[in-house]
């Protein structure tokens, strides 16, 4: 299914509703560099091009998180168990973070094409737990590589090995995927004409087949591509991933696009791209970088970058063909006459139709997303999520 979103679109806002509004199978490649649960507050330095961009990477478990977690129990029991175990070991902050990531990774799997690939950029803080999440969502058999970005440099600790790399977890959706081996071959370290131990001549041919370690320094203070964004990744890293795991004309999605490195790499390599970021600064940065890094200093990027703050509407869902009374009877039978909020039994006429995930949060207008609520629960919920309603009812002592 083709995406219903125009090439070169950048959404500003929470990525979850936007992801929910994207069609099934509409991205060939997803790269995400999410928060790492570092318990830090990041902000770009004053005077840098990214000044004003900031995000808080600290997590506190609340009742709404618990409701999200409970909702996973019946539909995603593996995810539920992994998050429970991680919370028991790592505490409430870890549990909150993994709930946040799990519901988004589920949407990303739906959005990915059957022959698509996803790269999740992690550091040692939560990489062990996130790999289990990815195993649960994509299947352990779809794990392809633990791709190492070795950046070196900097100081070394006196009590432990120097921390000099990040990990990218590379998964595919199925047993068939794009991987352009020749596009990412590494140059040989010898010169043409050098001899092997047996006396035969070495040739440069196409270069060495790439392995799962990419050695490239982090962005230096003097680098032209440096924007001052606190977690900016080098263009060379994203160039490598986009070249290997997509083809010209494919759609690349970055749901945490930050200073738009993925978008820039996709543009240079003639891919279509969609970015999402919580900060309005991302739009300004992508425009700056398109002019400077795609074309070069002094030139103006002529492509139209579309800025959106709305929730896209899915176009891959057939219209409901049942009448409203038919839908009501079906839902009433499915819920055994119980309100989906307070779980109290009511006559059919006491119920109101409601979207489990509101359309204003990216929810689809399908039977699976419809429910019956009593008048009171419908009033409490409003246009908010079921997780909000459950949390409020639990707070009032009306459900466990």
């Amino acid at each position: 299914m083709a995406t219903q979103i125009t090439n070169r679109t950048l959404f500003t806002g929470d990525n979850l509703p936007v992801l929910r509004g994207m069609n099934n199978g509409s991205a060939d490649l997803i790269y995400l560099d999410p928060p790492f649960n570092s318990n830090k507050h990041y902000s770009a330095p004053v005077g840098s091009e990214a000044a004003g961009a900031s995000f808080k990477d600290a997590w506190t478990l609340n009742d709404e998180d618990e409701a999200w977690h409970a909702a996973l129990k019946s539909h995603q029991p593996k995810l539920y168990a992994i998050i429970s175990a991680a919370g028991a070991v790592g505490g409430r902050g870890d549990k909150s973070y993994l709930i946040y990531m799990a519901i988004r990774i589920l949407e990303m799997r739906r959005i990915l094409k059957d022959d698509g690939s996803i790269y999740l950029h992690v550091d040692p803080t939560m990489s062990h737990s996130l790999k289990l999440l990815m195993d649960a969502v994509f299947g352990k058999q779809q794990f392809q590589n633990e791709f190492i970005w070795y950046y070196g440099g900097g100081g070394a600790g006196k009590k432990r090995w120097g921390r000099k790399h990040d990990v990218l977890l590379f998964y595919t959706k199925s047993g068939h995927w794009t991987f352009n081996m020749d596009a990412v071959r590494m140059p040989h370290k010898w010169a043409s004409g050098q001899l092997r131990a047996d006396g035969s001549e070495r040739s440069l041919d196409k270069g060495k087949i790439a392995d799962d370690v990419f050695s490239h320094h982090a962005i230096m203070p003097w680098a032209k591509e440096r924007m001052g964004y606190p977690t900016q990744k080098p263009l060379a890293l994203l160039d490598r991933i986009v070249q290997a795991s997509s083809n010209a004309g494919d759609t690349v999605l970055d749901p945490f696009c930050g200073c738009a490195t993925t978008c820039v790499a996709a543009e240079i390599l003639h891919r279509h791209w969609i970015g999402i970021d919580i900060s309005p600064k991302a739009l300004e940065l992508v425009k700056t970088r398109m002019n400077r890094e795609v074309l070069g200093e002094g030139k103006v990027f002529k492509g139209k970058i579309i800025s959106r703050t709305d929730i896209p509407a899915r176009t891959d869902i057939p219209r409901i063909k049942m009448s409203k009374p038919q839908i009501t009877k079906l839902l009433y039978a499915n819920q055994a006459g119980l309100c989906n909020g307070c779980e109290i039994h009511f006559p059919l006429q006491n119920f109101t139709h409601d979207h489990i995930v509101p359309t204003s949060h990216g929810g689809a207008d399908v039977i699976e997303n419809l429910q019956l609520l009593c008048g009171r629960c419908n009033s409490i919920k409003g246009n908010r999520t079921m997780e909000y309603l459950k949390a409020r009812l639990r707070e009032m002592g009306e459900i466990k």
Side-chain angles (χ1 to χ4, degrees), residues 42 55 66 76 126 136 214 218 227 286 326 338 340:
Y42 295 94
F55 64 92
E66 293 284 21
Q76 296 289 336
M126 296 299 294
F214 179 54
M227 306 298 292
V286 74
Q326 287 174 322
L338 301 176
N340 225 22

Side-chain angles (χ1 to χ4, degrees), residues 103-391:
I103 57 180
R104 286 160 174 79
I105 290 170
L106 284 168
E107 291 296 332
M108 290 178 218
R109 187 188 183 282
R110 180 186 61 78
I111 290 165
L112 202 60
K113 290 184 179 178
D114 287 343
D115 59 355
S117 301
I118 181 169
Y119 287 77
L120 170 56
H121 196 131
V122 298
D123 79 352
T125 312
M126 296 299 294
S127 58
H128 47 297
S129 297
L130 287 171
K131 189 170 187 295
L132 287 172
L133 283 192
M134 294 292 281
D135 283 348
V137 174
F138 285 89
K140 195 172 182 179
Q141 71 279 9
Q142 301 313 135
F143 169 70
Q144 303 304 334
N145 280 109
E146 192 171 75
F147 181 85
I148 305 297
W149 169 40
Y150 172 73
Y151 41 78
K158 295 181 180 180
K159 296 185 176 180
R160 60 182 66 88
W161 304 108
R163 293 172 178 165
K164 304 297 180 185
H165 78 276
D166 281 358
V167 170
L168 288 84
L169 302 174
F170 168 30
Y171 283 76
T172 56
K173 189 170 180 177
S174 71
H176 305 280
W177 65 92
T178 296
F179 193 78
N180 300 312
M181 179 182 66
D182 287 341
V184 290
R185 285 177 179 265
M186 302 293 289
H188 289 300
K189 294 181 180 178
W190 58 79
S192 182
Q194 282 187 339
L195 300 180
R196 296 187 179 91
D198 63 3
S200 61
E201 184 177 324
R202 293 183 185 274
S203 63
L204 293 179
D205 53 60
K206 294 180 179 179
K208 185 180 75 168
I209 293 175
D211 55 32
D212 59 2
V213 177
F214 179 54
S215 181
H216 190 281
H217 54 71
I219 298 174
M220 300 301 175
W222 55 85
K224 285 186 178 180
E225 67 179 280
R226 186 177 180 85
M227 306 298 292
Y229 193 83
T231 58
Q232 183 177 352
K233 302 303 184 292
L235 185 58
L237 174 65
L238 272 302
D239 177 270
R240 193 158 189 75
I241 292 166
V242 172
Q243 279 200 74
S245 293
S246 67
N247 296 311
D250 283 353
T251 297
V252 179
L253 168 66
D254 187 341
F256 296 88
C257 75
C259 63
T261 305
T262 308
C263 307
V264 173
E267 185 69 39
I268 291 172
L269 294 167
H270 308 293
R271 276 65 165 167
H272 295 177
W273 57 265
I274 300 165
I276 313 170
D277 200 76
I278 195 71
S279 171
K281 191 71 179 180
L283 178 64
E284 181 184 326
L285 293 176
V286 74
K287 288 180 176 178
T288 298
R289 297 189 73 184
M290 287 296 167
N291 287 336
R292 189 169 70 193
E293 295 174 60
V294 174
L295 298 179
E297 293 287 354
K299 297 181 180 179
V300 178
F301 178 68
K302 299 293 178 64
K304 183 181 180 183
I305 297 172
I306 299 168
S307 171
R308 292 179 62 173
T309 56
D310 64 326
I311 307 302
R314 288 178 61 179
T315 59
D316 61 336
I317 300 172
R319 293 181 61 185
I320 298 174
K321 296 180 179 180
M322 299 170 66
S323 67
K324 192 169 182 178
Q326 287 174 322
I327 294 171
T328 303
K329 289 180 181 178
L330 174 65
L331 294 174
Y332 191 79
N334 288 345
Q335 295 177 203
L338 301 176
C339 170
N340 225 22
C342 62
E343 301 171 10
I344 296 173
H345 192 279
F346 289 98
L348 189 145
Q349 63 267 26
N350 288 52
F351 282 112
T352 303
H353 278 214
D354 179 73
H355 286 88
I356 298 171
V357 177
T359 53
S360 59
H361 288 64
D365 195 20
V366 292
I367 290 289
E368 294 76 17
N369 193 40
L370 292 177
Q371 64 181 347
L372 297 179
L373 293 179
C374 68
R376 181 168 177 270
C377 284
N378 189 58
S379 177
I380 293 171
K381 180 175 179 283
N383 66 349
R384 293 175 285 258
T385 64
M386 275 301 288
E387 287 69 36
Y388 171 84
L389 173 61
K390 292 289 187 179

Side-chain angles (χ1 to χ4, degrees), residues 19-37:
L19 293 170
R20 283 174 171 159
M22 293 183 68
N23 284 349
N24 285 337
S26 56
D28 298 277
L29 170 63
I30 300 175
Y31 166 86
L32 62 153
D33 180 18
F36 291 163
N37 193 23

